[in-house]
């Protein structure tokens, strides 16, 4: 099933570029991702990292959940825990579970994130400026940086903010962190 999702994601990324009538060179210029990497992503030869997918979401004005929902076949109202879409970025140690049933017409969503100790993910910009996030740490701790300030968020704590610029998620350890993100589009 994972291969099917990755194949549909590759197709959707190519479709988004074509809908805008952008060449690979144009998308490379807008995203800061090399033309060769974009070509390999669209052909499904490689899986995008969290950072690459974040850049592409920014360029296309979508949250990661919305993009992943667009590759679903039909949006259900209930998604059983075992059927929730899970995406892994092995290189960064990030695991992302789409908890909310996908629906492109809705403005809010719930996502579960997991980072292994030492994981460090930086995003150049939000996929949608002004994106509201509520991050509730369920286990472990995470350092979240935005607006030039770093916030240490421990199990049970909740951090709420609007995202306008770069952000960073870092798991200082010693164990992994598991958190829920409540995302609200502006």
């Amino acid at each position: 099933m994972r291969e099917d999702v990755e194949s549909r994601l590759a197709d959707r990324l190519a479709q988004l570029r074509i809908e805008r009538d952008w060449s690979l060179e144009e998308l490379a210029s807008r995203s800061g991702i090399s033309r060769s990497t974009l070509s390999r992503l669209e052909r499904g030869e490689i899986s995008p990292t969290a950072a690459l997918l974040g850049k592409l979401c920014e360029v296309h004005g979508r949250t990661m959940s919305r993009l992943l929902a667009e590759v679903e076949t039909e949006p259900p109202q209930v998604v059983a825990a075992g059927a929730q879409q899970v995406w892994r970025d092995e290189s960064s140690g990030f695991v992302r579970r789409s908890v909310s049933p996908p629906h492109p017409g809705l403005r809010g969503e719930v996502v579960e994130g997991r980072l292994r100790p030492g994981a460090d993910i930086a995003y150049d910009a939000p996929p949608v400026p002004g994106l509201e996030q509520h991050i509730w740490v369920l286990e472990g701790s995470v350092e979240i940086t935005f607006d030039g300030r770093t916030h240490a968020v421990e199990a049970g704590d909740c951090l709420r903010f609007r995202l306008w610029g770069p952000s960073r998620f870092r798991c200082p350890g010693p164990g992994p962190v598991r958190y829920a993100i409540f995302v609200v589009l502006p």
Side-chain angles (χ1 to χ4, degrees), residues 115 134-146 149-161 168-173 175-180:
L115 294 172
H134 303 244
I135 300 175
W136 179 27
V137 176
L138 304 170
E139 299 171 13
S141 64
V142 64
E143 293 176 354
I144 301 170
T145 303
F146 64 94
R149 293 182 22 209
T150 299
H151 304 268
V153 189
E154 306 285 330
D157 296 347
C158 185
L159 175 66
R160 176 177 156 179
F161 58 94
R168 179 179 174 196
F169 288 66
R170 191 176 84 77
C171 179
V177 63
R178 185 170 72 94
Y179 52 91

Side-chain angles (χ1 to χ4, degrees), residues 48-64:
T49 64
L52 286 178
L53 200 53
K55 287 179 181 184
L56 291 170
C57 286
E58 175 189 353
V59 168
H60 293 302
R62 284 165 166 69
T63 64
M64 197 177 298

Side-chain angles (χ1 to χ4, degrees), residues 89-94 114-120 170-173 175-177:
D89 178 2
E90 299 299 338
S91 65
S92 70
F94 176 51
R114 293 177 185 257
L115 294 172
R116 68 178 174 232
D120 192 342
R170 191 176 84 77
C171 179
V177 63

Side-chain angles (χ1 to χ4, degrees), residues 102-138:
H103 192 288
L106 298 178
R107 297 173 28 133
E109 60 190 309
V110 179
V111 173
E112 177 191 43
R114 293 177 185 257
L115 294 172
R116 68 178 174 232
D120 192 342
I121 303 172
Y123 299 97
D124 294 333
V128 178
L131 187 71
E132 182 179 349
Q133 294 188 9
H134 303 244
I135 300 175
W136 179 27
V137 176
L138 304 170

Side-chain angles (χ1 to χ4, degrees), residues 80-95:
Q84 293 169 357
Q85 189 174 52
V86 176
W87 181 76
R88 290 174 171 77
D89 178 2
E90 299 299 338
S91 65
S92 70
F94 176 51
V95 178

